[in-house]
């Protein structure tokens, strides 16, 4: 029986392992940390307070994978947010996005009747283009310069694209190439409304809404679904670790050997072919196929010796863009935030939504400019989720945990400064930003867990702190992800594959790269 070794026990590695094991393959998963799950894990960060450590909310996890891996049978439960998003704008004003379309439209009409009237067509446009993306998720992209199979894939995509109307083709081009600012300016007039939509364009994207290509990042965040509701976001009960623990149960049921505290230090290559791995403790494991769930930058700069890669390919690796500009915090709270624009510490619907501080387009732009000049924004963009409002297993009664997902923090600080020197100051800036809108917030913080871009790299192997394993630009998408000519989950080294978010369709807790990679691996004898 052939032996498959998977480097990294993140969610895509576990998904890939399950599909390979279902096909009768012997699979070993090697995880550097003492717990599997990669960035989708739940940890106690203060006595009595548990939360998702890095990944923090659910939408993109593919329904086929949920069903195929029996995740519900293994205990996975996802609750929809009662309210989608809440945007504090000032001491007296806010903007809410609801799950009910009519309620959202009525809310937007308070700011602009013109924008409210445009909303149905805008949503329909987004959904049409998102459907194009959904249709390609579980398909392997055609390799440029590939063989007959790639020609067939390209031809099949061409036939599907031919069915689009001219308007849909133009919309797709806009969303794949333009900036979010350019797209939103053509649809809306109110600055707050535009900023609410533009927020998704800079999540995990170290750029401004005006950066070309940022419109695609907006699209990337809307192609998911929760419990059959398209575009919705929800909370995994028990935190994001509930997803990967359910995957682990299925992997173990299928006979996968999952080893923790097993750091891979090198992919062993003989005569141009991957033949196994060497662990940090010196142990060597042989395998017919080696599958990497770490990002392309980490794989090709740390785990594969340079002599096994061409000079041209190494240059491409050096140019591969990583660094999502994110700073991740968890905080334990003695009480819920009391927003001046929506007073009260008693539970309200906005406490159960995605609370986003980024009130204007200028605010979003300036945050990026600050990060480029100073290393991080003096008024950062902050998304707050309080999962304990829908899952009381995460915090003691009457208290709460909050996820703070913060944008515009430079992957590398200017002038050679280290994040180790500035992480606490940056965290203070984040807390102060939230406190400007909810004055009780700073005093309510009992404890905090901080992950700077450098912390994310050290803890989870996310080079540059990149939550997507690589920027989601047109040059690093579909047939170009991670590199043109290697979009089919195979690498320049025979027998070495890649199954993580650095492959199509990109980042987020989707499981799709692991699913697609397994299919391609099973094709190769």
């Amino acid at each position: 029986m052939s032996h498959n070794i998977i480097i990294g026990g993140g969610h895509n590695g576990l998904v890939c392992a399950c599909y390979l094991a279902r096909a009768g393959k012997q699979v070993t998963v090697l995880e550097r940390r003492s717990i599997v799950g990669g960035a989708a894990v739940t940890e106690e960060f203060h006595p009595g307070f548990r939360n998702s450590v890095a990944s923090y909310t659910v939408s993109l996890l593919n329904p086929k994978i949920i069903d195929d891996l029996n995740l519900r049978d293994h205990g996975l439960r996802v609750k929809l947010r009662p309210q989608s998003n809440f945007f504090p704008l000032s001491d007296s004003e806010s903007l809410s996005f609801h799950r009910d379309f009519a309620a959202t439209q009525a809310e937007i009409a308070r700011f602009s009747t013109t924008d409210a009237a445009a909303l149905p067509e805008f949503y329909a446009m987004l959904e049409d283009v998102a459907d194009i993306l959904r249709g390609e998720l579980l398909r392997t992209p055609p390799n440029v310069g590939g063989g007959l199979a790639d020609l067939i894939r390209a031809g099949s995509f061409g036939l599907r694209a031919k069915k689009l109307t001219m308007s849909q083709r133009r919309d797709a081009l806009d969303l794949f190439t333009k900036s979010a600012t350019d797209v939103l300016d053509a649809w809306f007039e109110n600055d707050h409304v535009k900023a609410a939509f533009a927020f998704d364009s800079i999540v995990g994207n170290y750029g401004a809404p005006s950066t070309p290509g940022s419109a695609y990042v907006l699209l990337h965040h809307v192609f998911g679904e929760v419990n059959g509701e398209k575009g919705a976001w929800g909370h995994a009960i028990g935190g994001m670790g509930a997803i990967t623990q359910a995957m682990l149960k299925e992997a173990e049921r299928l006979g996968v050997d999952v080893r923790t505290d097993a750091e891979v230090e090198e992919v062993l290559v003989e005569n141009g072919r991957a033949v196994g791995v060497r662990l940090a403790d010196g142990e060597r494991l042989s395998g017919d196929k080696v599958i990497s769930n770490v990002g392309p930058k980490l794989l090709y700069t740390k785990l594969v010796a340079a002599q096994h890669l061409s000079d041209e390919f190494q240059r491409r690796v050096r140019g591969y863009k990583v660094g999502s500009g994110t700073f991740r915090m968890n905080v334990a709270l003695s009480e819920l935030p009391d927003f001046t624009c929506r007073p009260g510490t008693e539970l309200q619907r906005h406490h159960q939504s995605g609370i986003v501080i980024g009130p204007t387009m200028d605010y979003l732009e300036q945050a990026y400019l600050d990060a480029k000049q100073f290393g991080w924004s003096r008024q950062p963009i902050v998304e707050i989720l309080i999962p304990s409002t829908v899952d009381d297993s995460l915090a003691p009664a009457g208290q709460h945990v909050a996820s703070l997902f913060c944008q515009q923090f430079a992957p590398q600080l200017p002038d050679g400064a280290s994040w180790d020197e500035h992480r606490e100051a940056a965290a203070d800036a984040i807390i102060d930003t939230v406190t400007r809108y909810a004055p009780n917030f700073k005093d309510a913080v009992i404890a905090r867990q901080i992950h700077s871009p450098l912390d994310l790299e050290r803890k989870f192997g996310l080079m540059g702190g990149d939550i997507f394993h690589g920027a989601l630009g047109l040059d690093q998408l579909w047939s170009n992800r991670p590199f043109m000519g290697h979009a089919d989950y195979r690498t320049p080294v025979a027998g070495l594959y890649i199954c993580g978010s650095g492959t199509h369709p990109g980042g987020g807790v989707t499981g799709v790269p692991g699913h697609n990679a397994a299919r391609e691996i099973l094709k190769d004898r």
Side-chain angles (χ1 to χ4, degrees):
M1 181 185 295
S2 64
H3 185 203
N4 299 266
I5 297 173
I6 296 180
I7 305 170
H11 79 282
N12 277 310
L14 294 171
V15 169
C16 186
C18 288
Y19 280 108
L20 292 176
R22 279 178 51 175
K25 304 300 181 184
Q26 181 184 354
V27 185
T28 298
V29 175
L30 303 172
E31 168 56 43
R32 176 176 59 89
R33 301 183 69 217
S34 59
I35 182 174
V36 299
V41 291
T42 304
E43 293 179 0
E44 184 177 67
F45 66 96
H46 187 70
F49 294 86
R50 300 164 55 244
N51 203 15
S52 306
V53 177
S55 301
Y56 65 104
T57 187
V58 188
S59 176
L60 307 182
L61 184 61
N62 192 269
K64 180 180 186 296
I65 293 165
I66 294 174
D67 291 340
D68 286 352
L69 272 57
N70 305 304
L71 298 187
R72 294 186 186 91
D73 293 343
H74 293 305
L76 177 63
R77 289 188 299 132
V78 180
K79 275 192 177 181
L80 283 162
R81 298 180 190 172
Q83 179 176 316
S84 298
N85 284 321
F86 170 68
F87 298 85
L89 304 177
S90 68
D91 285 350
S92 58
E93 188 59 275
S94 64
L95 172 61
S96 293
F97 277 44
H98 303 277
R99 286 173 54 194
D100 177 70
F101 173 78
T104 300
Q105 190 175 31
E107 176 79 346
I108 287 177
R110 296 196 305 110
F111 296 85
S112 167
T113 55
T114 300
D115 289 354
L119 197 63
E121 190 177 353
F122 178 72
Y123 273 1
M125 180 276 291
L126 276 183
E127 189 58 31
D128 283 347
V129 182
D131 274 343
I132 298 170
L133 185 57
R134 289 187 189 107
E136 298 305 313
L137 288 178
L138 298 176
R139 295 188 174 103
T140 298
N143 254 341
V144 176
L148 179 60
D150 295 293
L151 285 174
I152 293 172
R153 288 179 190 140
S156 297
F157 175 75
L159 289 173
R160 292 190 294 275
K162 189 177 180 181
K163 296 177 183 178
L164 302 177
T165 66
M166 185 56 70
S167 178
Q168 288 172 326
R169 293 172 188 174
R170 289 168 177 161
D171 290 335
L173 179 66
D174 287 348
L175 286 168
F176 275 87
T177 62
K178 287 186 176 182
S179 73
T181 299
D182 287 341
V183 170
L184 294 169
D185 280 348
W187 282 92
F188 302 112
E189 63 179 16
N190 182 269
D191 191 55
H192 298 308
V193 173
K194 286 190 278 191
F197 285 111
F199 166 71
D200 276 338
S201 76
I202 50 85
V203 170
N205 177 28
Y206 188 46
S210 62
T211 303
S214 58
Y216 173 76
V217 184
L218 185 160
L219 177 67
H220 190 83
H221 286 91
V222 302
F223 73 71
E225 63 180 83
V226 174
N227 300 339
E229 186 173 320
K230 287 185 177 180
W233 290 81
H235 297 281
I237 300 303
M240 295 297 282
I243 297 173
T244 48
Q245 287 302 304
M247 290 175 174
L248 174 63
K249 289 176 184 176
E250 178 67 5
E252 291 176 337
R253 185 187 74 81
L254 292 166
V256 176
D257 178 21
V258 180
R259 295 178 53 180
T260 54
D261 298 304
E263 180 178 359
V264 173
E265 202 161 75
E266 183 184 4
V267 174
L268 301 175
V269 180
E270 294 178 2
N271 300 317
R273 184 174 187 86
V275 296
V277 298
R278 177 174 57 80
L279 303 186
D281 64 5
E283 182 183 359
R284 291 174 176 244
L285 281 78
S286 297
D288 301 281
K289 294 173 182 176
V290 178
I291 303 128
S292 170
N293 187 38
V294 304
K297 195 95 166 181
L298 177 58
L299 172 65
Y300 295 124
T301 61
K302 305 290 187 183
L303 302 185
V304 178
Q307 66 260 32
H308 305 304
L309 303 169
S310 70
D311 290 344
E312 191 270 347
F313 188 79
Q314 291 182 62
R315 177 167 59 82
R316 300 292 175 188
V317 171
R318 289 194 296 272
Y320 184 75
K321 291 182 289 188
V322 296
S324 51
T326 56
F327 194 105
R328 182 71 174 84
M329 290 178 65
N330 288 308
V331 294
L333 297 173
S334 61
E335 62 181 358
L336 290 170
D338 182 4
F339 291 95
T340 52
C341 62
R342 192 72 65 85
T345 58
E346 293 300 313
L347 179 62
Q348 301 175 60
R349 286 177 68 85
H350 67 272
H351 288 127
Q352 298 176 306
S353 70
I355 303 165
V356 179
I357 295 175
T360 66
M361 294 296 280
D362 281 347
Y363 186 105
L364 302 182
E365 287 284 330
Q366 191 60 49
Y368 175 64
L369 296 175
D370 279 359
K372 292 291 286 183
Q373 183 174 0
F374 304 116
W376 72 86
S377 171
R378 284 359 188 198
Q379 295 187 64
I381 302 155
V382 183
E383 181 181 18
I384 308 156
L385 260 71
I386 312 175
S388 51
T389 59
V390 297
D391 179 3
D392 61 9
S393 71
L394 299 175
Q399 298 179 311
H400 290 277
V401 292
S403 304
L404 275 62
F405 189 44
C406 316
Q407 312 300 319
Q408 310 310 3
F409 294 79
Q412 283 82 37
L413 292 174
D415 303 321
S418 169
W419 269 115
D420 288 338
E421 303 164 5
H422 296 282
R423 60 197 297 275
E424 295 290 340
D428 290 341
I430 292 164
I431 298 293
D432 289 344
T433 296
V434 179
T435 304
R436 279 195 287 274
Y437 293 85
N440 72 324
F441 188 75
K442 188 172 186 176
D443 289 340
V445 174
I446 299 168
R448 64 191 193 184
Q449 179 187 45
I450 301 171
H451 290 107
S452 71
L454 181 58
D455 294 324
L456 291 172
E457 179 172 317
R458 286 173 177 161
K459 189 168 186 175
F460 301 112
L462 302 173
M463 298 290 280
D466 196 316
I467 62 170
F468 294 147
H469 286 198
L472 298 179
L474 191 60
D475 59 325
Q476 293 185 179
L477 286 175
W478 201 48
S479 288
N480 300 325
R481 191 168 186 88
F483 303 103
M484 183 183 291
H486 295 288
D488 60 356
Y489 310 95
R490 297 168 179 86
T491 75
V493 179
L496 176 63
Y497 302 80
I498 186 165
C499 72
S501 294
T503 61
H504 172 74
V509 181
T510 72
V512 175
H515 167 281
N516 293 357
R519 182 182 59 233
E520 296 303 315
I521 292 163
L522 291 170
K523 290 178 182 178
D524 294 346
R525 295 185 177 181

